[in-house]
Amino acid sequence: MARRGGVRSPLARALTLSLALTGALGVVVAGVEVALVADSRVAPWWLLASFPAGGVVHLAAGLAAWRRRPSNRTGPIMVIGALSWFVVALANTGTPALVAVGVVLATTPLAVVVWLLHAFPSGRLRSRTSRLTVAGAFVVSLVLQVPLYLFDPGASPGGMLSVGPRADLLSAGTWLQRGAGMVVMVVTAGVLAHRLRAATPGQRRVLLPLYAYGILAVLATPLGPLLGPSAGLSVAQVVGFQIVLLAGVPVAFAAAMLRGGFARTAEIQELSAWLASSAATPERLADALGRTLGDASLQVVYASRDGHALVDGDGTPFDPSALGAHRHLVDIDLGTRRIGAIVYDATVVDDAELVRGAGRVAALAIDHDRLTAELRASHADLRQSRARLVDAGDRARQRIAQDLHDGLQVELVLLALEAQRLARIDGAADLPDAATRLRVGIDRAARNLRGIVHALMPAALVERGLTAAIEDLVDRMPLPTRLAVAEVDGRLPATVERTAYFVVAEALTNAVKHAAADTLTVTLEHAPPRLVIGVADDGVGGATQDGGVGLHGLADRVDALGGRFTIESPAGGGTHLLVELPCGS
């Protein structure tokens, strides 16, 4: 188990010691068995010695996997496989009781290999097909093995397991076991091939060494006795070839492990110890969780301030609906707050509770990262909001300049020409009419100037306050508009009043232009420390904050004051804009 920041818990030391003792015991058992079969004349010594040797190979791979992935069941499955090889080797010893045990369990290594192949890489049987196939493999190995020693006195020492010679039942049992075993092995090969086709390129890179070799090994088991004689191989050679292939399964497993299927990891307690060390920096949190759970693709995402949306470490919005078929998401809570989620590969880690447990251990670090991501997102939003405010200010100045140049300036030039013409009139009869026309032009220019000034800052807002200014605005609307004012007494801060006024003005203008509404409603409520503004219409709906510069500009103005801007506009259901501005008590 890896050291993290120099911290190594008692659990890690105990596990390492236990696995080391198990490995040493396995080597001793294998050595004793090799010594017991060395003088046997039943079969070539190398064939008999291959059984304990296969057990050692399984044991080494299983202990390595168990150490790297304590929470994964694949390591224990490999150790059980090693035990089955050691038990089978007992059949080649000279002790009758031990030989009987080996005969009864002679084909269990095949069932364990099937179990291992179906369980990789998570250590669990993920489908009903796999569960039925593995159960069938053990039935073939334990139940259908019975006729082979029950009706054959020569199968066990002195016929101690036999009830009598029954050649017909022995033949039927042999063919039944072979047929059922063939079905189990073919189904296993099919399941492995299907998983390879369904895997992503990254998963296929990990699974291919084991699954390709596993398909070869399981098919060689039933086909070996059928194809061996035609290839000129003796029974001993066929059996030896099968043993080598089956013993090589853990080697293929080790290759998959080194290619990323089993990244070095620790139990949840080890993760806790690592988080308590100086190495537990937020930048390494996702990597630590990925190594703990054995999923290199693991991703940590963080909840927004309201807990509804998710963002990644850079503050970019994260869409859970875009996850692939094998990608699952587990929410992480701190107290009653949702602070984030862990996205993982369910084909590698199929226990959601294990992921949730790791998330609970790392919750404080995840919350720290969440605040960092929120700060980054707020900083990015602030930069964009400032840029939009600057752009909106430039557009407003450009519009004012154009209005002054194309409107008021032209009128003033014309008035100047009229005044010059009036000065050259000699006869007194035309003078009154000319003076009247000049007065009308001056009034028109003054009215236009007042309109420009009102657009910049309404006089009613400056002189009489927010409520009076909005009443004046509502009175000038071309559509029936209802105003409901609740508890807005006295003057509010100038920046709040200006922002509130322009929110209402822009919202009403948009409704008149685009909503196809029959009636409009404006509400104002001073609920310290907030001013709540609502503008609603009964139009066609479908408005969005990103649909135009008007609403986007309003959202930026509200955000600049630390307020909240929301819009609800279902298609055909009208539009309801709600703004909350902080305004003190």
Side-chain angles (χ1 to χ4, degrees):
M1 191 169 292
R3 292 178 180 269
R4 298 193 183 279
V7 177
R8 202 154 185 256
S9 71
L11 175 66
R13 292 193 295 269
L15 178 62
T16 300
L17 179 60
S18 300
L19 296 180
L21 292 175
T22 302
L25 179 60
V27 172
V28 171
V29 170
V32 171
E33 289 185 337
V34 170
L36 290 176
V37 304
D39 296 330
S40 176
R41 298 293 184 265
V42 178
W45 71 269
W46 57 267
L47 181 60
L48 301 180
S50 63
F51 288 96
V56 170
V57 174
H58 275 73
L59 184 63
L63 294 178
W66 201 337
R67 183 172 181 268
R68 295 169 73 92
R69 291 291 310 279
S71 59
N72 190 289
R73 298 180 182 178
T74 308
I77 294 174
M78 298 290 294
V79 174
I80 293 173
L83 178 62
S84 70
W85 281 82
F86 292 145
V87 171
V88 169
L90 297 176
N92 302 317
T93 65
T95 305
L98 298 180
V99 173
V101 173
V103 170
V104 171
L105 303 176
T107 55
T108 52
L110 298 176
V112 177
V113 167
V114 171
W115 183 15
L116 172 66
L117 292 172
H118 280 270
F120 184 82
S122 66
R124 297 173 183 266
L125 301 176
R126 302 192 299 273
S127 68
R128 186 169 182 266
T129 300
S130 290
R131 289 190 290 271
L132 290 176
T133 304
V134 173
F138 279 99
V139 169
V140 171
S141 296
L142 298 176
V143 178
L144 299 186
Q145 178 73 9
V146 173
L148 274 65
Y149 56 79
L150 199 63
F151 304 119
D152 182 8
S156 57
M160 61 185 301
L161 298 176
S162 175
V163 296
R166 289 290 304 269
D168 54 341
L169 295 179
L170 175 62
S171 177
T174 300
W175 283 105
L176 178 60
Q177 186 187 43
R178 288 180 179 177
M182 173 79 77
V183 171
V184 168
M185 295 305 181
V186 171
V187 171
T188 297
V191 169
L192 299 185
H194 173 72
R195 289 183 182 177
L196 279 177
R197 288 195 304 270
T200 64
Q203 294 168 343
R204 193 176 296 119
R205 179 182 64 85
V206 174
L207 297 175
L208 183 60
L210 177 62
Y211 280 2
Y213 189 89
I215 292 173
L216 174 63
V218 297
L219 291 180
T221 300
L223 296 179
L226 300 178
L227 301 179
S230 62
L233 299 177
S234 64
V235 175
Q237 289 173 327
V238 171
V239 174
F241 177 70
Q242 291 174 325
I243 291 174
V244 170
L245 279 179
L246 293 176
V249 169
V251 177
F253 170 84
M257 178 175 61
L258 295 176
R259 288 172 65 85
F262 286 84
R264 183 175 295 276
T265 183
E267 280 282 19
I268 301 301
Q269 292 91 334
E270 287 300 293
L271 174 65
S272 179
W274 178 79
L275 288 170
S277 71
S278 59
T281 60
E283 292 77 11
R284 298 175 60 189
L285 176 60
D287 177 64
L289 283 169
R291 285 180 289 172
T292 297
L293 298 171
D295 180 8
S297 68
L298 183 142
Q299 181 182 5
V300 178
V301 292
Y302 309 99
S304 59
R305 185 179 304 175
D306 58 9
H308 298 305
L310 293 172
V311 298
D312 62 18
D314 295 325
T316 305
F318 179 82
D319 183 10
S321 64
L323 294 176
H326 300 293
R327 302 289 289 174
H328 289 188
L329 181 145
V330 168
D331 286 333
I332 303 302
D333 299 324
L334 185 60
T336 58
R337 292 186 300 116
R338 182 198 192 197
I339 60 173
I342 296 177
V343 182
Y344 65 98
D345 187 344
T347 62
V348 177
V349 185
D350 68 344
D351 187 357
E353 287 304 315
L354 181 64
V355 180
R356 188 173 286 108
R360 282 195 293 265
V361 171
L364 288 176
I366 290 176
D367 196 37
H368 184 282
D369 269 7
R370 179 190 65 82
L371 295 174
T372 302
E374 184 178 303
L375 181 60
R376 289 172 179 167
S378 299
H379 185 60
D381 289 343
L382 180 60
R383 288 200 307 268
Q384 295 175 4
S385 177
R386 285 176 174 174
R388 289 194 296 266
L389 285 174
V390 171
D391 184 57
D394 291 341
R395 288 198 305 272
R397 285 189 290 271
Q398 182 179 0
R399 185 173 62 251
I400 294 170
Q402 188 168 355
D403 289 343
L404 290 174
H405 180 272
D406 297 342
L408 186 59
Q409 177 176 288
V410 171
E411 291 187 16
L412 292 176
V413 169
L414 293 177
L415 289 175
L417 293 176
E418 181 67 18
Q420 185 177 2
R421 189 184 68 80
L422 183 61
R424 292 198 297 267
I425 293 178
D426 295 330
D430 296 333
L431 187 58
D433 292 338
T436 299
R437 289 195 299 272
L438 180 61
R439 173 61 184 270
V440 171
I442 292 174
D443 289 343
R444 185 171 58 250
R447 187 166 54 252
N448 291 338
L449 180 60
R450 284 195 300 272
I452 294 174
V453 172
H454 183 82
L456 292 175
M457 187 60 61
L461 180 63
V462 176
E463 297 169 1
R464 293 184 291 153
L466 177 62
T467 302
I470 291 183
E471 288 175 347
D472 180 63
L473 182 64
V474 167
D475 289 339
R476 291 187 284 109
M477 283 294 105
L479 295 177
T481 304
R482 185 176 70 89
L483 174 63
V485 180
E487 302 179 6
V488 181
D489 298 326
R491 298 300 298 266
L492 301 175
T495 54
V496 174
E497 289 191 339
R498 287 195 297 267
T499 300
Y501 177 85
F502 287 115
V503 163
V504 175
E506 182 67 28
L508 291 176
T509 301
N510 284 342
V512 171
K513 289 182 178 180
H514 308 296
D518 295 324
T519 59
L520 308 174
T521 302
V522 179
T523 60
L524 290 177
E525 180 183 2
H526 185 203
R530 301 173 304 157
L531 175 66
V532 182
I533 308 157
V535 180
D537 65 63
D538 58 359
V540 296
T544 62
Q545 182 176 328
D546 299 326
V549 296
L551 290 178
H552 215 156
L554 289 182
D556 289 336
R557 292 191 66 146
V558 171
D559 186 63
L561 293 184
R564 184 179 179 185
F565 181 98
T566 57
I567 183 170
E568 296 180 3
S569 186
T575 300
H576 184 199
L577 183 147
L578 184 67
V579 172
E580 298 180 16
L581 296 175
C583 59
S585 59

